[in-house]
Amino acid sequence: INKFRSLCNTNSTWQVWADFVEMAAIAIANRVDQSQYEDREARYLQIIKRYNQKQQAAFPAMLALTVEALEENPDQDFLGSLYMQLELGNHWKGQFFTPFDVCHAMARITAGDLDAAVKEKGWIGVSDPCCGAGAMFVAFASECRRQKVNYQQRVLYVGQDLDPVVAYMCYIQISLLGCAGYVKIGDSLTEPMTGDPLLPQPGPSLWITPMFCSDVWHWRRVWHSVDRIIQTEGTSVTAGEEPRP
């Protein structure tokens, strides 16, 4: 918070936060999603030019502090908590972040027997069409750890939110926690993600996490694509079978 407030002398609190999370999201995404690299890099440079050299150095420092916080305690909605402490919630859009304790309770109630679900097809999916800063995903990952299920290799996280700022926050947090999946910026009522969850439609509104690009998930998508082709021809591959990288 102190590092953040040092940037607010010449810019509004809201603008600084919006710039911080967008640039952090771009820095992460451009390591793995080359299809959007040039446009996102140009956007990064457009934002950073608003600040002087000393101010520019504060942004990677804040990202480093975020990494350290989630490394120290992965069971927290770090960015969401800061967002509310800084009173940045947009009441005009009806924003109200679900308290993290409630997210924990909801994750435990809806998860059920995760090990049994994973054994059925090799992985499970969790979706939040109004993901906010990603507290539900963080809580679900925590429940996976409690049940001794690998939340990075066995769970696909799919989020969507109308507000780009909170969508970036979600993307940053699940990326740093090593969650495999993606976040789409858009209205989940008018632009719902109804396609194959393992094969999302690429585009500027889709933000893919680094773990989703790992070998495990790459080969899972390849095998899934092959399975779809075979099923189209009238033959099915046994559920759960997948190549080992």
Side-chain angles (χ1 to χ4, degrees):
I1 289 177
N2 290 336
K3 183 68 69 173
F4 173 79
R5 291 196 187 283
S6 70
L7 295 168
C8 299
N9 295 326
T10 56
N11 296 276
S12 72
T13 303
W14 170 257
Q15 188 62 59
V16 173
W17 182 266
D19 289 345
F20 164 54
V21 294
E22 185 173 3
M23 287 194 293
I26 291 173
I28 295 170
N30 270 2
R31 299 296 297 173
V32 293
D33 186 4
Q34 296 300 304
S35 68
Q36 306 299 320
Y37 181 89
E38 291 186 4
D39 288 342
R40 287 176 177 168
E41 187 68 12
R43 175 60 180 164
Y44 184 101
L45 294 175
Q46 181 185 28
I47 296 171
I48 200 68
K49 288 178 181 177
R50 298 172 184 164
Y51 302 88
N52 61 42
Q53 188 172 3
K54 182 179 179 180
Q55 291 173 325
Q56 290 175 5
F59 288 101
M62 288 193 293
L63 179 56
L65 289 169
T66 303
V67 173
E68 290 177 4
L70 290 174
E71 283 282 349
E72 181 179 338
N73 177 18
D75 192 14
Q76 64 169 321
D77 179 15
F78 180 70
L79 292 180
S81 297
L82 285 177
Y83 188 76
M84 288 302 177
Q85 286 182 51
L86 293 166
E87 299 181 343
L88 294 171
N90 190 333
H91 300 292
W92 294 107
K93 289 184 178 180
Q95 282 181 334
F96 179 78
F97 288 173
T98 306
F100 196 57
D101 288 344
V102 176
C103 292
H104 259 303
M106 293 172 66
R108 184 165 295 194
I109 290 170
T110 59
D113 187 345
L114 293 174
D115 188 58
V118 167
K119 287 179 179 177
E120 184 177 342
K121 69 172 184 177
W123 60 278
I124 58 176
V126 56
S127 176
D128 189 344
C130 187
C131 62
M136 283 298 303
F137 290 151
V138 176
F140 194 86
S142 176
E143 177 62 15
C144 289
R145 289 193 297 271
R146 190 184 74 84
Q147 294 194 32
K148 295 181 171 52
V149 170
N150 190 323
Y151 75 90
Q152 297 177 323
Q153 296 187 7
R154 296 298 180 182
V155 183
L156 177 65
Y157 303 79
V158 178
Q160 185 169 354
D161 205 286
L162 177 64
D163 185 349
V165 171
V166 299
Y168 294 141
M169 291 160 60
C170 178
Y171 174 74
I172 293 165
Q173 295 202 122
I174 65 174
S175 292
L176 294 180
L177 290 173
C179 298
Y182 44 89
V183 177
K184 180 181 177 180
I185 299 173
D187 191 331
S188 58
L189 296 178
T190 60
E191 307 171 41
M193 290 187 285
T194 57
D196 192 316
L198 271 180
L199 303 172
Q201 185 66 34
S205 64
L206 193 75
W207 294 73
I208 300 170
T209 70
M211 185 57 71
F212 193 56
C213 300
S214 66
D215 287 346
V216 170
W217 286 96
H218 167 75
W219 285 109
R220 188 167 283 145
R221 289 194 298 276
V222 169
W223 189 249
H224 180 69
S225 298
V226 172
D227 188 27
R228 290 184 64 185
I229 294 173
I230 294 175
Q231 287 180 0
T232 301
E233 296 175 353
T235 308
S236 177
V237 175
T238 303
E241 292 183 355
E242 35 181 86
R244 301 300 178 189

